[in-house]
Every structure is written in C-alpha cells, then in structure tokens.
Amino acid sequence: MTRIVCSIMFMGVVIFWAWHPAIANENGKRIYEKYCVKCHGEDGSVSEYGRARKARDLRTNKLFISPKELLVTVKYGVYGREMKGWSDILTNDEVKDVAQYIRTLSYKPDPKNGEGLFNLRCASCHAKEGAAKKLFGAPDLDMSPLGEREMAQVIRFGRHNTVMFPKETILLNPEIANIVAYLISIKK
C-alpha cells in the first residue's frame, strides 16, 4: 500500500514539473502580447512603432544577453532607451514567465546574407587582403577562438583599446546574427 501511495505521489510531482513550464510559457505569452507586442512585434522582430523607438529584435536575444540579464532588463528597463522597467506592473513570477517566453522566440540566421554584410562592413580590416589589416593588425576571423555569443557581443559593443568600434548603431541584431553565422561557417 505504501508503495502505491509513493508511486502516485511521485507521478504527481513528475506531471506537475512536466506541465509547469508549459503553464509559465502560456502566461509569458499572454503577458508578452499584452505589454510587449506594441514595440517588439508579435514574433519579436520589432513593430513599426518599436522601430521609431529603436526597440531591439528579441528573436536574437540569446546572442546578446544571458537569461539573468533578460530578467533584469524586463524588470528594470534599459537606461538611456525607451525600454521601461516593468517591476511596478508585473510580479516577479510574471517577469520570469515573460522572460522565459522571450527566450523561445527565434531567428534563423542567413550565413549568405552574413557574408555580404561581412564584405561590406568588416572585410576592410578582417579579410585576408583587407586594406587596413596590416595597419591595425585585425585578426583573421576564420581562426577566432570566440563562440557565437562572444562574436556577437564584440560586433555589437566593440573592443576596448582597439579600433574595433561598436556596430550597434549601423547593424541590426539580425544582421549581426547573420555575420556571426557566416563567421561560424568559415571557422577552421
């Protein structure tokens, strides 16, 4: 009898944990649709309204921010941007739910488009025969030890004490994701 009771309790715990993320994801989607769609669009690709306010494309969020950073961003906003904090409106659990939902949004990078952007924006310093390569000593990116996230952050935010300036004002997040996909595809 004890064995049966324990088995039933175990199954209840397993079913709860199996369903809990789905419930959180549904709640996160509901919150996203209520508060975030206006700027970030239904699929996270930024609405027209959001473009005018320089809202970020959320489909590429995994390249730029960790899950913890996303929680902080949703809760407290982004200083100097129109992304306000939601801590006065959402509970901590709702912030977690919407952040978890945002992490499910995805973008499929296009390495071919990334190659074109690389040739346009990066090749002058990073191509084998780049005009500024010898002058600045820019590294060959086909040998880069950096992973996807690190590459994306260097492109977006630049590198201190180098001539690698931030590209966040000239490249959108999906464009950076495309360049990173291209660089990963040529890595040796």
Side-chain angles (χ1 to χ4, degrees):
M1 182 69 169
T2 306
R3 197 176 207 182
I4 292 171
V5 171
C6 287
S7 295
I8 291 171
M9 287 176 60
F10 176 75
M11 290 302 292
V13 169
V14 168
I15 289 170
F16 172 76
W17 286 112
W19 283 99
H20 180 69
I23 292 167
N25 210 15
E26 285 178 24
N27 190 41
K29 181 177 183 185
R30 181 187 58 75
I31 294 165
Y32 180 87
E33 288 171 347
K34 184 174 182 180
Y35 297 110
C36 310
V37 165
K38 183 175 182 179
C39 292
H40 295 287
E42 289 193 26
D43 65 349
S45 64
V46 183
S47 67
E48 287 300 319
Y49 178 84
R51 272 190 198 84
R53 284 148 186 78
K54 296 185 168 91
R56 297 275 186 210
D57 187 312
L58 296 179
R59 299 170 303 162
T60 58
N61 74 80
K62 292 178 201 96
L63 275 178
F64 300 105
I65 57 176
S66 71
K68 286 183 181 179
E69 291 169 318
L70 182 58
L71 287 171
V72 170
T73 300
V74 172
K75 192 169 186 171
Y76 300 110
V78 179
Y79 180 77
R81 298 183 70 97
E82 291 193 40
M83 172 61 188
K84 70 178 203 156
W86 293 93
S87 60
D88 294 340
I89 296 167
L90 301 176
T91 67
N92 285 339
D93 285 339
E94 289 173 325
V95 168
K96 288 177 189 172
D97 291 349
V98 77
Q100 182 178 351
Y101 175 74
I102 289 168
R103 296 298 277 188
T104 68
L105 302 174
S106 63
Y107 174 76
K108 183 166 175 32
D110 179 0
K112 193 75 177 151
N113 178 272
E115 180 180 14
L117 288 167
F118 177 84
N119 289 331
L120 180 67
R121 300 281 186 194
C122 314
S124 63
C125 292
H126 291 286
K128 296 269 186 237
E129 305 300 321
K133 183 158 186 61
K134 288 183 182 175
L135 180 64
F136 298 124
D140 288 336
L141 297 179
D142 60 347
M143 303 288 279
S144 175
L146 300 178
E148 289 180 345
R149 186 159 184 241
E150 294 84 7
M151 281 184 189
Q153 289 180 334
V154 168
I155 294 168
R156 185 172 177 191
F157 302 118
R159 276 243 161 136
H160 294 295
N161 300 321
T162 71
V163 295
M164 177 65 185
F165 66 92
K167 306 295 188 289
E168 66 182 333
T169 59
I170 60 173
L171 292 170
L172 300 173
N173 286 355
E175 293 173 322
I176 294 172
N178 291 344
I179 292 171
V180 169
Y182 166 68
L183 294 174
I184 295 296
S185 76
I186 64 166
K187 242 180 168 181
K188 293 178 181 173

